[in-house]
Coordinates of all heavy atoms in Angstrom, one line a residue:
R1 N 8.8 -5.6 15.3 CA 8.8 -7.1 15.1 C 7.8 -7.5 14.1 O 8.0 -8.5 13.3 CB 8.7 -7.8 16.4 CG 8.5 -9.3 16.3 CD 8.3 -9.9 17.6 NE 9.5 -10.1 18.4 CZ 9.7 -10.7 19.5 NH1 8.6 -11.2 20.1 NH2 10.8 -10.7 20.1
A2 N 6.6 -6.9 14.1 CA 5.5 -7.3 13.3 C 5.5 -6.8 11.9 O 4.4 -6.8 11.2 CB 4.2 -6.9 14.0
F3 N 6.6 -6.3 11.4 CA 6.7 -5.7 10.1 C 6.1 -6.6 9.0 O 5.4 -6.2 8.1 CB 8.2 -5.4 9.8 CG 8.4 -5.0 8.3 CD1 8.2 -3.6 8.0 CD2 8.8 -5.8 7.4 CE1 8.4 -3.2 6.7 CE2 9.0 -5.4 6.1 CZ 8.8 -4.1 5.7
A4 N 6.4 -7.9 9.1 CA 5.9 -8.8 8.1 C 4.4 -8.9 8.0 O 3.9 -9.3 6.9 CB 6.5 -10.2 8.3
W5 N 3.7 -8.5 9.0 CA 2.3 -8.6 9.0 C 1.6 -7.3 8.6 O 0.4 -7.3 8.5 CB 1.8 -9.0 10.4 CG 2.3 -10.3 10.8 CD1 3.4 -10.5 11.6 CD2 1.8 -11.6 10.5 NE1 3.6 -11.9 11.8 CE2 2.7 -12.6 11.1 CE3 0.7 -12.0 9.7 CZ2 2.4 -13.9 11.0 CZ3 0.5 -13.4 9.6 CH2 1.4 -14.3 10.3
Y6 N 2.3 -6.3 8.3 CA 1.8 -5.0 8.0 C 1.7 -4.8 6.5 O 2.5 -5.3 5.8 CB 2.6 -3.9 8.6 CG 2.7 -3.8 10.1 CD1 3.7 -3.1 10.7 CD2 1.7 -4.4 10.9 CE1 3.8 -3.1 12.1 CE2 1.8 -4.3 12.3 CZ 2.8 -3.7 12.9 OH 2.9 -3.6 14.3
V7 N 0.7 -4.0 6.1 CA 0.6 -3.4 4.8 C 1.5 -2.2 4.7 O 1.5 -1.3 5.5 CB -0.8 -3.1 4.4 CG1 -0.8 -2.4 3.1 CG2 -1.7 -4.3 4.4
M8 N 2.4 -2.2 3.7 CA 3.3 -1.1 3.5 C 2.9 -0.3 2.2 O 2.5 -1.0 1.2 CB 4.7 -1.5 3.3 CG 5.3 -2.3 4.5 SD 5.4 -1.3 6.0 CE 6.6 -0.1 5.4
G9 N 2.9 1.0 2.3 CA 2.5 1.8 1.1 C 3.5 2.9 0.8 O 4.3 3.3 1.7
W10 N 3.4 3.4 -0.4 CA 4.1 4.6 -0.8 C 3.0 5.6 -1.3 O 2.1 5.2 -2.1 CB 5.1 4.3 -1.9 CG 6.3 3.6 -1.5 CD1 6.6 2.3 -1.6 CD2 7.5 4.3 -1.0 NE1 7.9 2.0 -1.1 CE2 8.4 3.2 -0.7 CE3 7.8 5.6 -0.6 CZ2 9.7 3.5 -0.2 CZ3 9.1 5.8 -0.1 CH2 10.0 4.8 0.1
F11 N 3.1 6.8 -0.8 CA 2.3 7.9 -1.2 C 3.2 9.0 -1.7 O 4.4 9.1 -1.3 CB 1.4 8.4 -0.1 CG 0.3 7.4 0.3 CD1 0.6 6.2 1.0 CD2 -1.0 7.6 -0.1 CE1 -0.4 5.4 1.3 CE2 -2.0 6.8 0.2 CZ -1.8 5.6 0.9
R12 N 2.6 9.9 -2.4 CA 3.3 11.1 -2.8 C 2.5 12.3 -2.7 O 1.2 12.2 -2.8 CB 3.9 10.9 -4.2 CG 2.9 10.9 -5.3 CD 3.6 10.5 -6.6 NE 2.6 10.5 -7.7 CZ 2.9 10.1 -9.0 NH1 4.2 9.7 -9.2 NH2 2.0 10.1 -9.9
Q13 N 3.1 13.5 -2.5 CA 2.4 14.7 -2.4 C 3.2 15.8 -3.1 O 4.2 16.2 -2.7 CB 2.1 15.1 -1.0 CG 1.2 16.3 -0.8 CD 0.7 16.4 0.6 OE1 1.3 15.9 1.6 NE2 -0.4 17.1 0.8
A14 N 2.6 16.3 -4.2 CA 3.1 17.4 -4.9 C 2.7 18.7 -4.3 O 1.7 18.8 -3.6 CB 2.7 17.4 -6.4
A15 N 3.5 19.7 -4.5 CA 3.2 21.0 -3.9 C 1.8 21.5 -4.2 O 1.4 21.5 -5.4 CB 4.2 22.1 -4.3
G16 N 1.0 21.8 -3.2 CA -0.4 22.3 -3.5 C -1.4 21.3 -3.8 O -2.5 21.6 -4.1
K17 N -1.0 20.0 -3.7 CA -1.9 18.9 -4.1 C -2.2 18.0 -2.9 O -1.4 18.0 -1.9 CB -1.4 18.1 -5.3 CG -1.3 19.0 -6.5 CD -0.8 18.1 -7.7 CE -0.7 18.9 -9.0 NZ -0.3 18.1 -10.1
E18 N -3.2 17.2 -3.0 CA -3.5 16.2 -2.0 C -2.5 15.0 -2.0 O -1.9 14.8 -3.1 CB -4.9 15.6 -2.2 CG -6.0 16.7 -2.0 CD -6.2 17.1 -0.6 OE1 -6.1 16.2 0.3 OE2 -6.4 18.3 -0.4
R19 N -2.4 14.4 -0.9 CA -1.5 13.2 -0.9 C -2.1 12.1 -1.7 O -3.3 11.8 -1.6 CB -1.3 12.8 0.6 CG -0.2 11.7 0.7 CD 0.2 11.6 2.1 NE 0.9 12.8 2.6 CZ 1.5 12.9 3.8 NH1 1.6 11.9 4.6 NH2 2.0 14.1 4.1
E20 N -1.3 11.5 -2.5 CA -1.8 10.6 -3.5 C -1.2 9.2 -3.3 O 0.0 9.0 -3.1 CB -1.4 11.1 -4.9 CG -1.7 10.2 -6.1 CD -1.1 10.7 -7.4 OE1 -0.1 11.4 -7.3 OE2 -1.7 10.3 -8.5
F21 N -2.1 8.2 -3.4 CA -1.6 6.8 -3.4 C -0.7 6.5 -4.6 O -1.0 6.8 -5.7 CB -2.8 5.9 -3.3 CG -2.4 4.4 -3.5 CD1 -2.0 3.7 -2.4 CD2 -2.6 3.7 -4.7 CE1 -1.6 2.4 -2.5 CE2 -2.3 2.4 -4.8 CZ -1.8 1.7 -3.7
V22 N 0.4 5.8 -4.3 CA 1.3 5.3 -5.4 C 1.3 3.8 -5.5 O 1.0 3.3 -6.6 CB 2.7 5.8 -5.1 CG1 3.7 5.3 -6.2 CG2 2.7 7.4 -5.1
A23 N 1.6 3.1 -4.4 CA 1.7 1.7 -4.4 C 1.6 1.1 -3.0 O 1.8 1.9 -2.0 CB 3.0 1.2 -5.1
A24 N 1.2 -0.1 -2.9 CA 1.1 -0.8 -1.6 C 1.5 -2.2 -1.8 O 1.3 -2.8 -2.9 CB -0.2 -0.6 -1.0
I25 N 1.9 -2.8 -0.7 CA 2.3 -4.3 -0.7 C 1.8 -4.9 0.6 O 2.0 -4.4 1.6 CB 3.8 -4.5 -1.0 CG1 4.1 -5.9 -1.2 CG2 4.6 -3.8 0.1 CD1 5.5 -6.2 -1.8
S26 N 1.1 -6.0 0.4 CA 0.6 -6.7 1.6 C 1.6 -7.6 2.2 O 2.8 -7.8 1.8 CB -0.6 -7.6 1.1 OG -0.2 -8.7 0.4
W27 N 1.2 -8.2 3.4 CA 2.1 -9.0 4.1 C 2.5 -10.3 3.3 O 3.6 -10.8 3.5 CB 1.5 -9.5 5.4 CG 0.2 -10.3 5.2 CD1 -1.1 -9.8 5.1 CD2 0.1 -11.7 5.0 NE1 -1.9 -10.9 4.9 CE2 -1.2 -12.0 4.8 CE3 1.1 -12.7 5.0 CZ2 -1.7 -13.3 4.6 CZ3 0.6 -14.0 4.8 CH2 -0.7 -14.3 4.6
S28 N 1.6 -10.7 2.4 CA 1.9 -11.8 1.5 C 2.7 -11.5 0.3 O 3.0 -12.4 -0.5 CB 0.6 -12.5 1.2 OG -0.2 -11.6 0.4
G29 N 2.9 -10.2 0.0 CA 3.7 -9.8 -1.1 C 2.8 -9.4 -2.3 O 3.4 -9.1 -3.4
S30 N 1.5 -9.4 -2.2 CA 0.6 -8.9 -3.2 C 0.8 -7.4 -3.4 O 0.8 -6.7 -2.3 CB -0.8 -9.2 -3.0 OG -1.0 -10.6 -2.9
S31 N 1.0 -6.9 -4.6 CA 1.2 -5.5 -4.8 C 0.1 -4.8 -5.5 O -0.7 -5.4 -6.3 CB 2.5 -5.3 -5.5 OG 2.5 -5.9 -6.8
F32 N -0.1 -3.5 -5.3 CA -1.1 -2.7 -5.9 C -0.6 -1.4 -6.3 O 0.3 -0.8 -5.6 CB -2.3 -2.5 -4.9 CG -2.7 -3.8 -4.2 CD1 -2.1 -4.3 -3.1 CD2 -3.7 -4.5 -4.8 CE1 -2.5 -5.4 -2.5 CE2 -4.1 -5.7 -4.2 CZ -3.5 -6.2 -3.0
Y33 N -1.0 -0.8 -7.4 CA -0.5 0.4 -8.0 C -1.6 1.4 -8.4 O -2.6 1.0 -8.9 CB 0.4 0.1 -9.2 CG 1.6 -0.8 -8.8 CD1 1.5 -2.2 -9.0 CD2 2.8 -0.2 -8.4 CE1 2.6 -3.0 -8.7 CE2 3.9 -1.0 -8.1 CZ 3.8 -2.4 -8.2 OH 4.9 -3.2 -7.9
A34 N -1.2 2.6 -8.3 CA -2.1 3.6 -8.9 C -1.9 3.5 -10.4 O -0.9 3.1 -10.9 CB -1.6 5.0 -8.4
D35 N -3.0 3.8 -11.1 CA -3.0 3.8 -12.6 C -1.8 4.6 -13.2 O -1.3 4.2 -14.2 CB -4.3 4.2 -13.2 CG -5.4 3.2 -12.9 OD1 -5.1 2.0 -12.6 OD2 -6.6 3.6 -13.0
S36 N -1.5 5.7 -12.5 CA -0.6 6.6 -13.1 C 0.9 6.1 -13.1 O 1.7 6.6 -13.8 CB -0.6 7.9 -12.3 OG -0.3 7.7 -10.9

């Protein structure tokens, strides 16, 4: 039910590498991106 209040993110992990931040979006719709 509280989905709208959560920060949602996308991460990715290539074989043999650390999990990497890709993008996130706040409850208000503000978005953030990795430089890549």
Side-chain angles (χ1 to χ4, degrees):
R1 171 182 284 184
F3 173 82
W5 300 97
Y6 295 160
V7 173
M8 301 293 297
W10 287 97
F11 289 76
R12 66 188 184 187
Q13 188 165 22
K17 297 183 179 179
E18 296 290 322
R19 190 162 297 188
E20 175 189 26
F21 172 79
V22 175
I25 187 164
S26 72
W27 63 268
S28 64
S30 298
S31 58
F32 310 89
Y33 298 92
D35 288 342
S36 59

